[in-house]
Amino acid sequence: QKIAIAGPQKIVRVFDTSTGELVREMKKHTDWVFALRYSPDGVLLATGDRSNGLIVWEAETGRLYSELTGHTGEVRSLDFRSDSNVLASGSLDGTIRLWDMNESKEIKSWPAHGGGVNSVIFAQNGFLASAGRDARIKLWNGNGELQNEFAGLSEAALEVAITGDAAQLAGGDWNGQVQLWPAADPAQGKLISANPPSIAQRL
């Protein structure tokens, strides 16, 4: 019922999806906001900025829930585990960090990508996929242990997606290339046309 947006204005704005009306504005960030994510249960809203600021808000009230410190680079990506109890953050400092939402503290951190992490996302089973400036897509278990690494992209990997069962991953890079891999066999990657011809053209 709500949508949150943010950007260079450093303000997080929440809108009602049925009316389009502005519900509230949250002001705490000191730099451009690059990432935001609602928790699956709708209780929390996490936001990250260019000056390594990471803030968690109460989604319903807009009140500050916690400030999470630890990253030393831009926070580029955020995602909650399916149970809403753990937040993952990816940063240009090259690390992925996991945060406990009940105690508002870091529970895990590891170096993930040389040059920086552009995207991190949870699968339903608690595994994580990440995309980095090293043009790699990586799959991790919930303890931050590398399960597989996926090559084939031609430039910095900007986005990653993963199926709920963590069986397949997709990654997109700076050049617009999109590739799909089975999680169990990185060698079986295949390119996907990001802008395929229309059905009429193909017929």
Side-chain angles (χ1 to χ4, degrees), residues 46-92:
T47 55
D49 70 30
R50 188 168 63 172
S51 293
N52 51 274
L54 178 50
I55 299 173
V56 182
W57 315 82
E58 294 178 0
E60 192 59 36
T61 65
R63 287 196 293 261
L64 179 69
Y65 180 75
S66 64
E67 284 190 76
L68 306 173
T69 58
H71 281 301
T72 58
E74 302 172 8
V75 177
R76 282 286 178 157
S77 184
L78 299 166
D79 197 33
F80 282 90
R81 201 170 65 187
S82 59
D83 61 5
S84 300
N85 291 329
V86 174
L87 173 69
S89 58
S91 167
L92 292 193

Short mmCIF file of all heavy atoms in Angstrom, two decimals, residues 46-92:
data_model
loop_
_atom_site.label_atom_id
_atom_site.label_comp_id
_atom_site.label_asym_id
_atom_site.label_seq_id
_atom_site.Cartn_x
_atom_site.Cartn_y
_atom_site.Cartn_z
N ALA A 46 14.71 0.08 5.21
CA ALA A 46 16.15 0.34 5.30
C ALA A 46 16.57 1.21 4.12
O ALA A 46 16.10 1.03 3.00
CB ALA A 46 16.93 -0.96 5.29
N THR A 47 17.47 2.17 4.40
CA THR A 47 17.97 3.07 3.36
C THR A 47 19.48 3.24 3.50
O THR A 47 20.01 3.30 4.61
CB THR A 47 17.27 4.44 3.44
OG1 THR A 47 17.44 5.00 4.76
CG2 THR A 47 15.79 4.32 3.15
N GLY A 48 20.18 3.33 2.37
CA GLY A 48 21.63 3.48 2.39
C GLY A 48 22.07 4.60 1.47
O GLY A 48 21.45 4.85 0.42
N ASP A 49 23.17 5.29 1.83
CA ASP A 49 23.57 6.46 1.05
C ASP A 49 25.02 6.42 0.58
O ASP A 49 25.76 5.48 0.85
CB ASP A 49 23.28 7.75 1.82
CG ASP A 49 24.17 7.96 3.06
OD1 ASP A 49 25.32 7.51 3.06
OD2 ASP A 49 23.69 8.60 4.02
N ARG A 50 25.39 7.48 -0.14
CA ARG A 50 26.70 7.58 -0.79
C ARG A 50 27.84 7.76 0.21
O ARG A 50 29.00 7.46 -0.10
CB ARG A 50 26.67 8.74 -1.78
CG ARG A 50 27.90 8.86 -2.66
CD ARG A 50 27.70 9.83 -3.80
NE ARG A 50 27.47 11.20 -3.34
CZ ARG A 50 27.42 12.25 -4.16
NH1 ARG A 50 27.56 12.08 -5.46
NH2 ARG A 50 27.20 13.47 -3.68
N SER A 51 27.53 8.23 1.40
CA SER A 51 28.56 8.43 2.43
C SER A 51 28.54 7.33 3.48
O SER A 51 28.74 7.58 4.66
CB SER A 51 28.39 9.81 3.08
OG SER A 51 28.65 10.84 2.17
N ASN A 52 28.26 6.11 3.03
CA ASN A 52 28.20 4.89 3.85
C ASN A 52 27.22 4.95 5.02
O ASN A 52 27.35 4.23 6.00
CB ASN A 52 29.59 4.43 4.34
CG ASN A 52 30.45 5.47 5.02
OD1 ASN A 52 31.16 6.20 4.34
ND2 ASN A 52 30.41 5.51 6.33
N GLY A 53 26.22 5.83 4.91
CA GLY A 53 25.17 5.85 5.92
C GLY A 53 24.16 4.75 5.68
O GLY A 53 23.75 4.51 4.53
N LEU A 54 23.75 4.07 6.74
CA LEU A 54 22.77 2.99 6.65
C LEU A 54 21.77 3.17 7.79
O LEU A 54 22.14 3.09 8.97
CB LEU A 54 23.47 1.63 6.74
CG LEU A 54 22.60 0.37 6.71
CD1 LEU A 54 21.61 0.40 5.56
CD2 LEU A 54 23.49 -0.88 6.61
N ILE A 55 20.54 3.45 7.43
CA ILE A 55 19.50 3.78 8.41
C ILE A 55 18.33 2.83 8.25
O ILE A 55 17.93 2.50 7.13
CB ILE A 55 19.05 5.25 8.24
CG1 ILE A 55 20.23 6.21 8.46
CG2 ILE A 55 17.91 5.57 9.19
CD1 ILE A 55 19.91 7.66 8.15
N VAL A 56 17.76 2.42 9.38
CA VAL A 56 16.55 1.61 9.39
C VAL A 56 15.45 2.42 10.08
O VAL A 56 15.67 2.97 11.17
CB VAL A 56 16.77 0.26 10.11
CG1 VAL A 56 15.50 -0.58 10.05
CG2 VAL A 56 17.94 -0.50 9.47
N TRP A 57 14.31 2.49 9.43
CA TRP A 57 13.17 3.27 9.93
C TRP A 57 12.01 2.35 10.28
O TRP A 57 11.88 1.26 9.73
CB TRP A 57 12.68 4.25 8.86
CG TRP A 57 13.74 5.02 8.14
CD1 TRP A 57 14.49 4.60 7.08
CD2 TRP A 57 14.15 6.37 8.40
NE1 TRP A 57 15.35 5.59 6.67
CE2 TRP A 57 15.17 6.68 7.46
CE3 TRP A 57 13.76 7.33 9.32
CZ2 TRP A 57 15.79 7.93 7.42
CZ3 TRP A 57 14.38 8.56 9.28
CH2 TRP A 57 15.38 8.87 8.34
N GLU A 58 11.15 2.82 11.18
CA GLU A 58 9.86 2.17 11.37
C GLU A 58 8.98 2.55 10.18
O GLU A 58 8.71 3.72 9.94
CB GLU A 58 9.20 2.63 12.67
CG GLU A 58 9.96 2.21 13.92
CD GLU A 58 9.29 2.75 15.19
OE1 GLU A 58 8.26 3.45 15.07
OE2 GLU A 58 9.81 2.47 16.28
N ALA A 59 8.57 1.55 9.42
CA ALA A 59 7.89 1.83 8.15
C ALA A 59 6.57 2.56 8.35
O ALA A 59 6.19 3.43 7.56
CB ALA A 59 7.66 0.53 7.39
N GLU A 60 5.84 2.24 9.40
CA GLU A 60 4.50 2.80 9.60
C GLU A 60 4.53 4.23 10.12
O GLU A 60 3.70 5.06 9.75
CB GLU A 60 3.70 1.93 10.56
CG GLU A 60 2.22 2.26 10.62
CD GLU A 60 1.51 2.14 9.28
OE1 GLU A 60 1.86 1.23 8.49
OE2 GLU A 60 0.63 2.97 9.01
N THR A 61 5.54 4.54 10.93
CA THR A 61 5.58 5.87 11.56
C THR A 61 6.63 6.80 10.97
O THR A 61 6.54 8.02 11.13
CB THR A 61 5.86 5.73 13.07
OG1 THR A 61 7.18 5.17 13.24
CG2 THR A 61 4.85 4.81 13.73
N GLY A 62 7.66 6.21 10.33
CA GLY A 62 8.77 7.02 9.83
C GLY A 62 9.78 7.38 10.90
O GLY A 62 10.74 8.12 10.64
N ARG A 63 9.60 6.85 12.10
CA ARG A 63 10.56 7.12 13.17
C ARG A 63 11.83 6.31 12.97
O ARG A 63 11.82 5.21 12.42
CB ARG A 63 9.95 6.80 14.54
CG ARG A 63 8.90 7.79 15.01
CD ARG A 63 8.63 7.65 16.50
NE ARG A 63 8.00 6.37 16.81
CZ ARG A 63 6.70 6.22 17.00
NH1 ARG A 63 5.88 7.25 16.91
NH2 ARG A 63 6.22 5.02 17.31
N LEU A 64 12.95 6.87 13.43
CA LEU A 64 14.24 6.19 13.35
C LEU A 64 14.21 4.91 14.19
O LEU A 64 13.83 4.95 15.37
CB LEU A 64 15.34 7.11 13.85
CG LEU A 64 16.77 6.54 13.85
CD1 LEU A 64 17.25 6.34 12.43
CD2 LEU A 64 17.71 7.46 14.61
N TYR A 65 14.59 3.79 13.58
CA TYR A 65 14.68 2.52 14.31
C TYR A 65 16.13 2.27 14.73
O TYR A 65 16.40 1.94 15.88
CB TYR A 65 14.16 1.38 13.44
CG TYR A 65 14.22 0.03 14.09
CD1 TYR A 65 13.31 -0.33 15.08
CD2 TYR A 65 15.20 -0.91 13.72
CE1 TYR A 65 13.35 -1.59 15.68
CE2 TYR A 65 15.25 -2.16 14.31
CZ TYR A 65 14.33 -2.50 15.29
OH TYR A 65 14.39 -3.74 15.88
N SER A 66 17.07 2.44 13.81
CA SER A 66 18.49 2.27 14.16
C SER A 66 19.37 2.84 13.06
O SER A 66 18.96 2.95 11.90
CB SER A 66 18.83 0.79 14.39
OG SER A 66 18.65 0.05 13.21
N GLU A 67 20.58 3.21 13.45
CA GLU A 67 21.63 3.57 12.50
C GLU A 67 22.71 2.49 12.58
O GLU A 67 23.20 2.20 13.67
CB GLU A 67 22.23 4.94 12.83
CG GLU A 67 21.36 6.10 12.43
CD GLU A 67 22.08 7.43 12.56
OE1 GLU A 67 22.93 7.74 11.70
OE2 GLU A 67 21.80 8.15 13.54
N LEU A 68 23.07 1.93 11.43
CA LEU A 68 24.01 0.82 11.40
C LEU A 68 25.33 1.31 10.81
O LEU A 68 25.38 1.80 9.68
CB LEU A 68 23.45 -0.33 10.55
CG LEU A 68 22.05 -0.82 10.99
CD1 LEU A 68 21.51 -1.84 9.99
CD2 LEU A 68 22.11 -1.42 12.39
N THR A 69 26.40 1.21 11.58
CA THR A 69 27.70 1.71 11.15
C THR A 69 28.67 0.56 10.93
O THR A 69 28.63 -0.44 11.64
CB THR A 69 28.29 2.68 12.18
OG1 THR A 69 28.40 2.01 13.45
CG2 THR A 69 27.39 3.89 12.35
N GLY A 70 29.52 0.72 9.93
CA GLY A 70 30.51 -0.30 9.63
C GLY A 70 31.06 -0.19 8.22
O GLY A 70 32.24 -0.37 7.98
N HIS A 71 30.19 0.16 7.26
CA HIS A 71 30.67 0.31 5.89
C HIS A 71 31.57 1.55 5.78
O HIS A 71 31.37 2.55 6.47
CB HIS A 71 29.48 0.45 4.93
CG HIS A 71 28.83 -0.84 4.59
ND1 HIS A 71 29.50 -1.89 3.98
CD2 HIS A 71 27.55 -1.27 4.76
CE1 HIS A 71 28.66 -2.90 3.79
NE2 HIS A 71 27.48 -2.56 4.27
N THR A 72 32.55 1.45 4.88
CA THR A 72 33.46 2.57 4.64
C THR A 72 33.33 3.09 3.22
O THR A 72 34.14 3.91 2.79
CB THR A 72 34.91 2.14 4.91
OG1 THR A 72 35.24 1.02 4.06
CG2 THR A 72 35.10 1.74 6.36
N GLY A 73 32.34 2.62 2.49
CA GLY A 73 32.09 3.07 1.12
C GLY A 73 30.60 3.20 0.89
O GLY A 73 29.77 2.88 1.75
N GLU A 74 30.25 3.68 -0.30
CA GLU A 74 28.85 3.87 -0.66
C GLU A 74 28.04 2.58 -0.44
O GLU A 74 28.47 1.50 -0.82
CB GLU A 74 28.74 4.27 -2.13
CG GLU A 74 29.50 5.53 -2.48
CD GLU A 74 29.53 5.79 -3.98
OE1 GLU A 74 28.82 5.07 -4.73
OE2 GLU A 74 30.26 6.70 -4.41
N VAL A 75 26.87 2.73 0.17
CA VAL A 75 25.96 1.59 0.32
C VAL A 75 25.10 1.53 -0.94
O VAL A 75 24.27 2.41 -1.18
CB VAL A 75 25.08 1.72 1.58
CG1 VAL A 75 24.10 0.55 1.67
CG2 VAL A 75 25.96 1.80 2.82
N ARG A 76 25.32 0.50 -1.75
CA ARG A 76 24.71 0.41 -3.06
C ARG A 76 23.49 -0.49 -3.13
O ARG A 76 22.68 -0.39 -4.05
CB ARG A 76 25.75 -0.08 -4.07
CG ARG A 76 26.72 0.99 -4.52
CD ARG A 76 26.04 1.94 -5.46
NE ARG A 76 26.90 3.02 -5.89
CZ ARG A 76 26.71 3.71 -7.01
NH1 ARG A 76 25.69 3.40 -7.81
NH2 ARG A 76 27.49 4.72 -7.32
N SER A 77 23.34 -1.42 -2.18
CA SER A 77 22.26 -2.40 -2.29
C SER A 77 21.85 -2.90 -0.91
O SER A 77 22.69 -3.06 -0.02
CB SER A 77 22.71 -3.57 -3.17
OG SER A 77 21.66 -4.49 -3.37
N LEU A 78 20.55 -3.16 -0.76
CA LEU A 78 20.00 -3.65 0.49
C LEU A 78 18.96 -4.72 0.20
O LEU A 78 18.21 -4.62 -0.78
CB LEU A 78 19.34 -2.51 1.29
CG LEU A 78 20.23 -1.34 1.72
CD1 LEU A 78 19.35 -0.18 2.19
CD2 LEU A 78 21.17 -1.78 2.83
N ASP A 79 18.89 -5.73 1.04
CA ASP A 79 17.81 -6.71 0.93
C ASP A 79 17.61 -7.40 2.27
O ASP A 79 18.58 -7.66 3.00
CB ASP A 79 18.11 -7.75 -0.16
CG ASP A 79 16.85 -8.52 -0.57
OD1 ASP A 79 15.76 -7.92 -0.54
OD2 ASP A 79 16.96 -9.70 -0.92
N PHE A 80 16.36 -7.70 2.58
CA PHE A 80 16.03 -8.41 3.81
C PHE A 80 15.88 -9.91 3.54
O PHE A 80 15.38 -10.31 2.48
CB PHE A 80 14.70 -7.89 4.39
CG PHE A 80 14.80 -6.59 5.12
CD1 PHE A 80 14.61 -5.39 4.46
CD2 PHE A 80 15.06 -6.57 6.48
CE1 PHE A 80 14.68 -4.18 5.14
CE2 PHE A 80 15.14 -5.37 7.18
CZ PHE A 80 14.94 -4.17 6.50
N ARG A 81 16.29 -10.71 4.52
CA ARG A 81 15.99 -12.14 4.49
C ARG A 81 14.48 -12.31 4.56
O ARG A 81 13.77 -11.45 5.07
CB ARG A 81 16.69 -12.84 5.65
CG ARG A 81 16.89 -14.34 5.46
CD ARG A 81 17.79 -14.90 6.54
NE ARG A 81 17.20 -14.79 7.87
CZ ARG A 81 17.84 -15.09 9.00
NH1 ARG A 81 19.11 -15.48 8.95
NH2 ARG A 81 17.25 -14.97 10.17
N SER A 82 13.97 -13.44 4.10
CA SER A 82 12.53 -13.63 3.98
C SER A 82 11.80 -13.52 5.32
O SER A 82 10.61 -13.19 5.36
CB SER A 82 12.22 -14.97 3.32
OG SER A 82 12.77 -16.04 4.07
N ASP A 83 12.49 -13.80 6.44
CA ASP A 83 11.85 -13.69 7.75
C ASP A 83 11.92 -12.28 8.33
O ASP A 83 11.43 -12.03 9.44
CB ASP A 83 12.45 -14.69 8.74
CG ASP A 83 13.94 -14.45 9.00
OD1 ASP A 83 14.49 -13.45 8.48
OD2 ASP A 83 14.55 -15.27 9.71
N SER A 84 12.52 -11.35 7.60
CA SER A 84 12.64 -9.93 7.98
C SER A 84 13.58 -9.68 9.15
O SER A 84 13.74 -8.54 9.59
CB SER A 84 11.27 -9.32 8.31
OG SER A 84 10.40 -9.39 7.21
N ASN A 85 14.24 -10.71 9.67
CA ASN A 85 15.09 -10.56 10.86
C ASN A 85 16.53 -10.17 10.53
O ASN A 85 17.26 -9.72 11.42
CB ASN A 85 15.10 -11.85 11.68
CG ASN A 85 13.77 -12.11 12.34
OD1 ASN A 85 13.04 -11.19 12.68
ND2 ASN A 85 13.43 -13.38 12.50
N VAL A 86 16.95 -10.35 9.27
CA VAL A 86 18.33 -10.05 8.89
C VAL A 86 18.32 -9.17 7.64
O VAL A 86 17.60 -9.44 6.68
CB VAL A 86 19.13 -11.34 8.62
CG1 VAL A 86 20.52 -11.00 8.09
CG2 VAL A 86 19.24 -12.17 9.89
N LEU A 87 19.12 -8.11 7.69
CA LEU A 87 19.31 -7.20 6.55
C LEU A 87 20.69 -7.42 5.97
O LEU A 87 21.68 -7.48 6.70
CB LEU A 87 19.17 -5.75 7.01
CG LEU A 87 19.51 -4.66 5.98
CD1 LEU A 87 18.47 -4.63 4.87
CD2 LEU A 87 19.61 -3.29 6.67
N ALA A 88 20.76 -7.55 4.64
CA ALA A 88 22.05 -7.63 3.95
C ALA A 88 22.31 -6.30 3.26
O ALA A 88 21.41 -5.69 2.68
CB ALA A 88 22.05 -8.75 2.92
N SER A 89 23.57 -5.83 3.35
CA SER A 89 23.96 -4.59 2.68
C SER A 89 25.21 -4.84 1.85
O SER A 89 26.13 -5.53 2.28
CB SER A 89 24.20 -3.48 3.70
OG SER A 89 25.19 -3.84 4.64
N GLY A 90 25.24 -4.28 0.66
CA GLY A 90 26.40 -4.36 -0.22
C GLY A 90 26.96 -2.97 -0.46
O GLY A 90 26.19 -2.02 -0.68
N SER A 91 28.28 -2.83 -0.43
CA SER A 91 28.89 -1.51 -0.48
C SER A 91 30.06 -1.48 -1.45
O SER A 91 30.67 -2.52 -1.76
CB SER A 91 29.38 -1.12 0.92
OG SER A 91 30.23 0.01 0.89
N LEU A 92 30.41 -0.28 -1.90
CA LEU A 92 31.59 -0.12 -2.73
C LEU A 92 32.88 -0.30 -1.95
O LEU A 92 33.96 -0.26 -2.54
CB LEU A 92 31.57 1.25 -3.42
CG LEU A 92 30.49 1.46 -4.49
CD1 LEU A 92 30.79 2.71 -5.30
CD2 LEU A 92 30.34 0.26 -5.41
#
